[in-house]
């Protein structure tokens, strides 16, 4: 008999018809006469109830229906007398496809998230991770749909590259060299001419620079792929391997970039509410995951909010004012300091109580490729809507979100060759791997802008999960890449 998925069996009203379902046993209970099995096959967070008469099956088979076992069941679909489910199956035949012994780690309800991380190979079978992974899939579809519908082309940038886009040096090296026998020059520096690519290469930290090449040819592109950062950040918001979405658009200015960032995130959140109802409700109504049952209201709230558009300088003023009024922060936040997540979250969660798009950051801690704001005679600069800053600023345009902090990092790009070169010189950057990037400013340069969305940070927000290790199937973090 052809297999029916649990999600379809639960919706089906052809009562009395024969049906075959396959899946994993979540639980079994019953009496001497009758048994109940909760069956899940991953197609939905909801289990299908199987009911059977003990007398109709050999004891040998019934004993093997244990939590975690994989079974195939044939029976009659009937209207369920139990509340909370429309249909159930009255079993007529049971086949054990895979036994599960008593050491199966997902026995109990409410197993801690920390414990589940240690069994990442099995945790997708828990209700919580099933829900998260289906939401994650839906978000990927939302992202592709959004860009496709808006005329962006999916552009594939390399994972192995000699270029360090962000210039932060947090790269994982890729080599086929024998690490026990390295060829070195007289100064002891490693020579790479005998390495696979003939030069030092790494895993990408961002596809942006190559994305800009795409945008200046196809008009609007986006990337969506794995990204690697060897930063030793053991926080609930950092992974060593994460997924990033990077749109890049020709002829886009600062205001349009902010419009895009806001519209895009809202589209994704709306998509989740429209397409992941059962999984969101499961998380929302699970006291262990969402004590205040406020996940869905929080998502709906974001759709109603207009994001605040805030120059960095104004943000610093607000933080300074808060400090004057007794607010304590761990890290300093004077003009010129990079904001820590505590500062971002203060602005978003306590001051504005809605998402903030922050712009016009000091040049000192932003990347070389960002568009430079017009400087004033006294060393300051003029930015968004004429706002004045006390030092040089760039049109970095980040989105800060409640409970996450930075969810998007973006900017308008410096399209002027001379200004970009001056910045490269000022930073003493090595030109060896930048020539092709600088060519975009030599041959038909155009104003353009783009951003990078951390996929897992979006999933954190949409699922309300607290730790980034719990929104990717197999997280890699410092000292941990086992699976
Ligand atoms: O702010 P970032 O470093 O920006 C860039 O890489 C730009 N090249 C993007 C662009 O303009 N095309 O990273 C972008 C986003 C961050 O806002 C954050 O959401 C996510 O990527 N991110 C991380 N997510 C998980 N783990 C990490 N270690 C992350 N580092 C950045
Ligand atoms: Mg950033």
């Amino acid at each position: 008999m052809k297999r029916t998925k649990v999600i379809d069996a639960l919706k089906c009203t052809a009562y009395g018809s024969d049906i075959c379902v396959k899946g994993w046993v979540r639980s079994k209970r019953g009496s001497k006469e009758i048994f109940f099995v909760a069956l899940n096959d991953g197609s939905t967070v909801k289990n299908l109830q199987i009911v059977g008469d003990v007398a109709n099956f050999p004891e040998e088979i019934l004993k093997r229906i244990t939590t975690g076992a994989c079974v195939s069941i044939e029976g009659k679909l009937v209207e369920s007398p139990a509340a909370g489910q429309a249909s159930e199956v009255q079993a007529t035949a049971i086949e054990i496809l895979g036994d599960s012994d008593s050491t199966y780690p997902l026995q109990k309800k409410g197993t801690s998230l920390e414990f589940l991380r240690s069994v990442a190979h099995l945790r997708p079978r828990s209700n919580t991770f099933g829900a998260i992974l289906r939401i994650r899939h839906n978000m990927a579809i939302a992202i592709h749909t959004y860009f496709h519908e808006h005329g962006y082309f999916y552009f594939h940038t390399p994972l192995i590259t000699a270029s360090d886009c962000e210039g932060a040096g947090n790269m994982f090296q890729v080599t086929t060299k024998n690490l026990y026998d390295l060829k070195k020059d007289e100064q002891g520096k490693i020579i790479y001419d005998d390495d696979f690519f003939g030069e030092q290469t790494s895993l990408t930290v961002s596809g942006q620079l190559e994305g800009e090449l795409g945008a200046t040819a196809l008009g609007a592109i986006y990337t969506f792929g794995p990204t690697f950062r060897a930063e030793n950040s053991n926080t609930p918001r950092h992974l060593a391997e994460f997924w990033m979405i990077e749109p890049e658009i020709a002829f886009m200015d600062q205001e349009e970039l902010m419009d895009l960032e806001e519209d895009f995130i809202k589209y994704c959140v709306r998509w989740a509410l429209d397409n992941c109802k059962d999984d969101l409700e499961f998380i929302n109504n699970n006291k262990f995951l969402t004590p205040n049952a406020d996940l869905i209201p929080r998502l709906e709230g974001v759709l109603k909010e207009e994001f605040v558009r805030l120059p960095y300088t104004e943000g610093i003023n607000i933080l300074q004012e808060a400090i004057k009024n007794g607010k304590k922060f761990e890290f300093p936040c004077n003009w010129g300091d990079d904001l820590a997540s505590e500062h971002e979250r203060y602005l978003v969660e306590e001051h504005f109580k809605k998402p903030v798009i922050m712009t016009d950051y000091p040049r000192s801690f932003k990347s070389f490729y960002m568009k430079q704001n017009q400087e004033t005679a006294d060393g300051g600069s003029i930015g968004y809507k004429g706002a004045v800053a006390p030092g040089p600023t760039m049109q970095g345009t980040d989105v800060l979100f409640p409970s996450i902090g930075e969810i998007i990092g973006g900017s308008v790009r410096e399209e002027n060759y001379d200004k970009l070169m001056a910045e490269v010189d000022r930073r003493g950057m090595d030109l060896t791997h930048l020539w092709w990037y600088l060519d975009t400013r030599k041959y038909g340069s155009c104003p353009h802008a783009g951003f990078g969305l951390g996929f897992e940070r979006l999933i954190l927000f949409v699922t309300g999960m607290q730790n980034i290790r719990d929104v990717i199937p197999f997280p890699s973090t410092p000292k941990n890449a086992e699976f």
Side-chain angles (χ1 to χ4, degrees), residues 165-166 205-209 227 229 231 233 237-248 366-367 369-370 398-399 404 406-411 413 450-458 468:
C165 168
E166 291 303 300
V205 293
S206 161
Q208 178 198 324
L209 302 193
T227 309
R229 296 203 181 168
E231 35 185 355
S233 302
R237 279 176 291 280
H238 287 87
L239 289 167
E241 176 179 332
F242 61 102
W243 287 64
M244 186 149 53
I245 295 97
E246 295 186 276
E248 193 70 36
K366 282 295 186 187
S367 300
Y369 50 69
M370 294 188 182
D398 291 358
V399 181
I404 313 282
E406 182 191 322
I407 191 164
I408 276 183
S411 76
R413 319 305 187 191
F451 67 77
L453 167 79
F455 188 51
E456 285 74 20
R457 296 209 184 160
L458 174 70
I468 201 162

Side-chain angles (χ1 to χ4, degrees), residues 324-400:
K324 260 190 230 148
N325 293 328
K327 177 81 196 168
K328 295 253 182 301
F329 293 114
E330 191 183 339
F331 297 100
C333 56
N334 300 305
W335 199 95
D337 292 333
D338 196 355
L339 296 184
S341 127
E342 57 173 346
H343 305 129
E344 298 173 340
R345 293 182 61 171
Y346 174 81
L347 291 170
V348 172
E349 289 165 23
E350 294 182 48
H351 187 81
F352 291 108
K353 298 192 167 59
K354 50 178 152 174
V356 170
I357 307 183
M358 185 172 270
T359 192
D360 295 335
Y361 288 88
R363 185 174 70 184
S364 52
F365 62 85
K366 282 295 186 187
S367 300
F368 77 99
Y369 50 69
M370 294 188 182
K371 187 169 176 69
Q372 300 157 26
N373 277 321
Q374 189 196 329
E375 294 195 14
T376 54
D378 59 356
S381 59
I382 301 172
Y384 184 61
K385 293 193 168 162
V388 176
T393 52
M394 301 174 117
Q395 289 182 19
T397 309
D398 291 358
V399 181
L400 314 179

Side-chain angles (χ1 to χ4, degrees), residues 49-102:
Q49 176 153 283
I50 313 293
V51 195
D53 290 328
V54 171
N56 291 347
F57 300 93
E59 200 191 326
E60 257 325 288
I61 289 282
L62 294 183
K63 262 202 336 224
R64 291 166 65 195
I65 306 178
T66 57
T67 299
C70 186
V71 297
S72 170
I73 291 179
E74 290 184 12
K76 244 180 207 12
L77 188 76
V78 297
E79 199 165 358
S80 176
Q85 60 194 29
S87 53
E88 60 185 38
V89 173
Q90 273 170 356
T92 51
I94 298 174
E95 186 189 348
I96 310 288
L97 299 178
D99 288 289
S100 176
D101 76 29
S102 60

Side-chain angles (χ1 to χ4, degrees), residues 27 37 93 156 185 194 223 235 261 288 293 328 344 346 388 408 450:
S27 65
V37 175
H156 295 110
D185 68 11
D194 65 338
T223 72
T235 81
E261 291 176 340
F288 173 64
K328 295 253 182 301
E344 298 173 340
Y346 174 81
V388 176
I408 276 183

